[in-house]
Amino acid sequence: MTESFLPTLNGVTTSVCRVVEQLRARGHEAMIVAPDGRGPTHFAGFPVHRMPSVGYRQFPVGIPGPQLSGLLAGFAPDVIHAASPFILGAQAITAASRLGIPSVAVFQTDMAKYARGNGFGTAGAALVWKMIRRIHAGATLTLVPSESSRRDLERIGVERIATWGRGVDSALYHPNRRSDEATRILRARLAAPDEVAVGYVGRLAPEKELERLQALRRIRGLRLVLVGDGPARQGLARKLSALDPVFLGALRGEELATAYAALDVFVHTGTTETFGQTLQEAHAAGLPVVAPAVGGPLDLVEHGVDGFLFDPHQSRSLRRGVLALVDDPRLRVRFGEAGRRAVVGRTWEALGDELLGHYRSVLTRQIPVTAGVSEPPPGLSGSR
């Protein structure tokens, strides 16, 4: 069960695709249930069942329907995997409980922070936290990608939590790609030989807080590159006009790997990330990274070793981190090599083995129990 799938490109979609590929490689059977869209009807040889959906900010939101219970009963799965459950996933977890099927809920999207950042305020965030608590309380096991996410869920009283990260394709994203002809052509298009290409990869949306990049104005020799698409595209072109950014649009596969290889520094600005998959991809490509010292990046970036963590409340902190890397080629190389070493063992094969271990734990009911504490995350007040 996933709240997002192809053709929508984001972290949830990517993770689901890699999980399904790992299941296929190991000889398991799977069925994918996702919001309606013009995407594939099969993936990795497995059927994709589409549920009715409505559009919100260019994003299809699935609507629960009575057919879901019939799909689950007909397929009779051993385990239900709910990727970033919110609406479809919540119904699936409830249906699984009625059918006596264990469920694994993967906490991947901090919807409460999204709600607050998209104009719903503290009250809206508090309501979303209560919904998250109710959804995950119904799951047999919740998987979190980072210690920050674990603490958030513990604070609202969610129990039965385990950590499961994400894999990265360190063969596709590789420093050697910098010498490829395709990379040299793209690099020449992006920046002059004496310029430093500083890039971001991801969805261009308000919650990514890309307007923070305005702090990089007037850094001599910097060329800003944005890879991705989304509802904030036109607004960013105006807000970042002083930086004259290059917009490459949404890229996948070899084209995306080439884009990483054409960069010198990777920068991430969003403070709502529960993990930060693009940080891993940048590390695999041998890039130094600059990211906010909050959420998932705290687990992925070792400050002063493979990148810099900046204070999201201080725009000068972001500027200092990027400026230090723009000015020092040897520092870029040292950080890039350290980042590559940090992620090279985090393969999807290894993460697939971990996930199957979690599936086995819910089948045998050997579930970890995490006691929640009373302090709520920001935006959640009142009793549990």
Side-chain angles (χ1 to χ4, degrees), residues 189 201-202 204 226-229 233 246-252 256:
R189 171 186 158 200
V201 174
L204 307 184
L226 302 178
V227 181
D229 204 355
R233 164 69 174 81
V246 178
F247 290 88
L248 292 182
L251 301 176
R252 296 177 62 192
L256 178 57

Side-chain angles (χ1 to χ4, degrees), residues 107-365:
F107 181 73
Q108 188 164 339
T109 307
D110 192 336
M111 296 298 297
K113 288 182 181 176
Y114 280 12
R116 189 163 56 247
N118 282 279
F120 292 94
T122 301
L127 177 61
V128 173
W129 274 121
K130 290 177 181 178
M131 293 175 65
I132 291 171
R133 179 174 58 197
R134 187 176 301 114
I135 290 167
H136 288 271
T140 313
L141 176 65
T142 288
L143 299 180
V144 295
S146 63
E147 285 304 305
S148 174
S149 297
R150 177 188 284 273
R151 288 192 295 271
D152 280 349
L153 294 190
E154 286 176 349
R155 289 187 186 115
I156 61 172
V158 176
E159 300 179 347
R160 305 184 303 279
I161 300 175
T163 300
W164 179 65
R166 301 293 180 271
V168 63
D169 189 340
S170 56
L172 177 64
Y173 306 110
H174 198 290
N176 289 347
R177 190 178 284 269
R178 293 179 71 88
S179 61
D180 289 354
E181 181 66 18
T183 302
R184 289 199 295 267
I185 292 171
L186 177 60
R187 171 71 193 196
R189 171 186 158 200
L190 297 179
D194 60 343
E195 290 182 315
V196 176
V198 176
Y200 161 87
V201 174
R203 185 167 159 78
L204 307 184
E207 65 271 10
K208 301 303 182 180
E209 303 173 68
L210 288 163
E211 64 275 4
R212 293 179 183 274
L213 295 174
Q214 293 176 93
L216 306 183
R217 288 177 295 184
R218 293 186 293 278
I219 291 182
R220 185 173 300 174
L222 180 150
R223 188 65 168 152
L224 182 62
V225 180
L226 302 178
V227 181
D229 204 355
R233 164 69 174 81
Q234 290 186 342
L236 287 170
R238 293 192 301 272
K239 292 176 182 178
L240 303 178
S241 59
L243 287 158
D244 191 22
V246 178
F247 290 88
L248 292 182
L251 301 176
R252 296 177 62 192
E254 294 286 332
E255 288 185 325
L256 178 57
T258 297
Y260 275 115
L263 301 176
D264 299 300
V265 176
F266 183 82
V267 63
H268 185 77
T269 53
T271 58
T272 63
E273 300 298 324
T274 59
F275 188 66
Q277 178 65 3
T278 56
L279 296 175
Q280 285 201 138
E281 293 170 352
H283 274 325
L287 296 177
V289 304
V290 180
V294 63
L298 291 170
D299 287 9
L300 298 176
V301 180
E302 188 172 357
H303 183 74
V305 175
D306 51 32
F308 289 121
L309 292 167
F310 69 86
D311 181 350
H313 302 293
Q314 295 287 338
S315 62
R316 286 177 294 181
S317 180
L318 167 61
R319 183 182 178 86
R320 281 195 302 269
V322 172
L323 182 59
L325 291 167
V326 169
D327 285 347
D328 193 338
R330 289 180 295 180
L331 185 64
R332 295 199 298 269
V333 171
R334 189 168 80 244
F335 279 13
E337 290 175 346
R340 171 77 182 177
R341 288 194 300 269
V343 303
V344 72
R346 298 177 193 167
T347 65
W348 273 109
E349 289 76 13
L351 271 293
D353 290 340
E354 285 186 24
L355 182 61
L356 287 169
H358 292 307
Y359 289 168
R360 286 190 289 270
S361 75
V362 299
L363 285 166
T364 59
R365 296 304 196 270

Side-chain angles (χ1 to χ4, degrees), residues 46 66 80 339 350:
F46 299 135
I80 288 178

Side-chain angles (χ1 to χ4, degrees), residues 17-41:
C17 289
R18 301 294 86 79
V19 165
V20 171
E21 288 168 350
Q22 290 303 310
L23 293 174
R24 166 58 73 186
R26 289 165 168 78
H28 299 287
E29 290 297 320
M31 174 181 72
I32 305 161
V33 181
D36 197 9
R38 292 177 293 179
T41 58

